[in-house]
Amino acid sequence: DEYRSWRQAECQCGACRNGRSKCKGGRSISMAKMKSATVYFCQNCGYESSKWMGQCPGCREWNTLVEEVVTKASGVRAVHMVQPTSLNDISMEEEDKLLTHMSELDRVLGGGIVPGQLTLVGGDPGIGKSTILLQMCQNLAADGRKILYISGEESLKQIKIRAMRIGEFTDQLKLLCETDLDTVEAVIKQEKPDIVVIDSIQTMYAERVTSAPGSVSQVREATAVFLRLAKSMPVATFIVGHVTKEGTVAGPRVLEHMVDTVLYFEGDRHASYRILRGVKNRFGSTDEIGVFEMRKEGLCEVKNPSAYLLSGRPKNASGSIVACAMEGTRPMLIEIQALVCDSNFNIPRRQTTGADFNRVNLLMAVLEKRLGLRMGQTDAYVNLAGGMRLLEPALDLGIVMALVSSFKNKVISDQTVIFGEVGLSGEVRAVNMAQQRVLEAQKLGFTKCILPSANLDGLSDIPKKMRIVGVSNVADAINELI
């Protein structure tokens, strides 16, 4: 029936009014038929269903399916034949990366921006996503790079006001306030910029997709268009994504799979610090972080995060100790604070800020079982000063010693740094990159370091001013410090 209706369809070429099989105009008409249907998409993972369900079969989340009207084309369409390429014929000339002249941003990106790279930047509202991208555009435009900043949320005057706080810009930076996806695509092809910034992806709207802006279909279609432009031109593209209350980018999870790099801006919007973390990077490591400080002139890089995080540390206070964690290739010293006190409740209260809650409970159980410290009827509070959130096992020994120091009300020397993983038997296990941790502590003036005994053999070139003490279990560490 579909083939018969196609044969009897009238030609639209204007040369005749015959059926397609008898067309004399030399033009062909599409056989595709447009069909509208109601489909339910999962806002979390992008799962597609023809009917509504309470629980998504894809990600097992509840109440995430939303209704959208989509238009699908069915029929025959032209197919362009392409030839596959031999693996040996592919050139391996490494492309030069574009430096943003922001060392913290270049570190997270893996050394700079790769031409054709598609990067997703997510974060809470007001955290500084647009500010850091505008500062990046300022530096690249000063190098002569052609920048196109496309905003769907702010007017030209609003962007100008924000740019005036940052500094002067060259004429290489051009602004466009537009939400129509087809118009944005046409402007990018016409201008042929080196860098494109989309702020934000949830505001882009394609008329061919019948759902509302910000929906799963619209976000997926817009990202697919920018991905095609980034790879074909090529042009490095940065897209800003809103986040949900859980802290993930709004829209389907397939959005993160489509892009090359995913960056998250973390931190309290009311505090001055900001942390840029890479959670996906096809051109570099995903363990690196960048530390920034928000000032009136914009985001300023923090060259030495360890000194910044240790500023204002209390003197001669129990429950406070400095531990060393690794973020990628960067060692970071951070103060661990613990407060242990008698509980006034039937069930003692436990609370952590920056550390893993379950890990702290596990370490307290080790202290009670292996060392006989009765913490079952005490409240315990653990805080990583500076607003950092770290989950590295090397912080275990620091958390344990902070808890013991507060429990016994004994002060640990402020010239001591400690790191090591603690097992369920109370043993202190080795950690990686011990040499870099010790050198970072020595650079900041610490004179004593407590570390696992298994890491002693891997140390070399340690200054004589630094006293190194290896411990094999938690009891040895307590005897050494308390």
Side-chain angles (χ1 to χ4, degrees), residues 457-470:
D457 296 336
L459 299 180
S460 61
D461 300 331
I462 301 300
K464 295 181 179 179
K465 295 182 180 179
M466 174 71 72
R467 182 190 172 197
I468 306 297
V469 178

Side-chain angles (χ1 to χ4, degrees), residues 181-441:
L181 186 60
D182 295 331
T183 303
V184 170
E185 182 180 3
V187 172
I188 294 176
K189 291 181 179 179
Q190 177 184 351
E191 295 291 331
K192 295 182 174 59
D194 298 318
I195 306 291
V196 172
V197 176
I198 308 296
D199 189 7
S200 66
I201 190 65
Q202 278 81 10
T203 61
M204 295 295 109
Y205 176 78
E207 291 186 358
R208 56 184 173 271
V209 181
T210 57
S211 56
S215 62
V216 175
S217 300
Q218 290 285 0
V219 171
R220 186 159 45 189
E221 176 67 17
T223 306
V225 170
F226 294 127
L227 177 62
R228 183 173 66 250
L229 291 174
K231 302 304 180 184
S232 61
M233 295 185 62
V235 53
T237 306
F238 288 79
I239 57 178
V240 176
H242 296 162
V243 297
T244 63
K245 60 182 180 180
E246 289 81 12
T248 59
V249 175
R253 298 294 294 183
V254 70
L255 177 63
E256 298 186 7
H257 299 309
M258 295 172 66
V259 301
D260 298 314
T261 307
V262 180
L263 306 180
Y264 276 103
F265 234 169
E266 303 174 356
D268 187 356
R269 59 178 298 184
H270 302 292
S272 61
Y273 58 85
R274 301 288 189 272
I275 298 171
L276 183 64
R277 187 184 304 273
V279 297
K280 175 187 177 181
N281 194 351
R282 290 173 179 165
F283 308 105
S285 173
T286 57
D287 296 326
E288 300 290 353
I289 66 169
V291 183
F292 298 86
E293 182 180 5
M294 179 62 78
R295 300 178 182 174
K296 62 179 182 180
E297 63 271 14
L299 287 166
C300 299
E301 302 174 72
V302 179
K303 300 294 185 181
N304 192 341
S306 296
Y308 176 75
L309 293 173
L310 294 179
S311 60
R313 188 160 55 103
K315 302 293 184 180
N316 299 323
S318 62
S320 175
I321 195 169
V322 177
C324 187
M326 293 296 300
E327 285 290 342
T329 58
R330 167 187 287 176
M332 297 184 61
L333 299 182
I334 187 168
E335 180 191 1
I336 301 178
Q337 298 177 333
L339 179 62
V340 180
C341 56
D342 294 335
S343 177
N344 294 323
F345 306 96
N346 293 330
I347 300 178
R349 187 175 183 182
R350 306 282 190 265
Q351 184 173 338
T352 62
T353 302
D356 186 11
F357 175 79
N358 295 324
R359 190 70 179 176
V360 172
N361 284 333
L362 183 147
L363 295 175
M364 293 184 66
V366 171
L367 290 175
E368 185 160 357
K369 177 68 175 181
R370 304 300 178 185
L371 299 178
L373 300 179
R374 299 302 177 186
M375 294 187 175
Q377 300 301 320
T378 59
D379 295 335
Y381 306 90
V382 176
N383 173 47
L384 300 189
M388 293 288 292
R389 176 169 178 80
L390 301 173
L391 304 177
E392 192 189 10
L395 296 178
D396 288 353
L397 191 56
I399 295 175
V400 166
M401 296 311 302
L403 290 169
V404 174
S405 173
S406 178
F407 181 75
K408 294 188 175 184
N409 199 25
K410 298 291 185 179
V411 178
I412 298 177
S413 173
D414 56 3
Q415 296 298 313
T416 301
V417 66
I418 188 170
F419 59 86
E421 180 182 357
V422 177
L424 294 181
S425 298
E427 79 278 10
V428 179
R429 308 175 70 90
V431 298
N432 62 339
M433 306 181 73
Q435 177 81 19
Q436 290 84 338
R437 300 174 196 259
V438 175
L439 292 178
E440 178 71 10

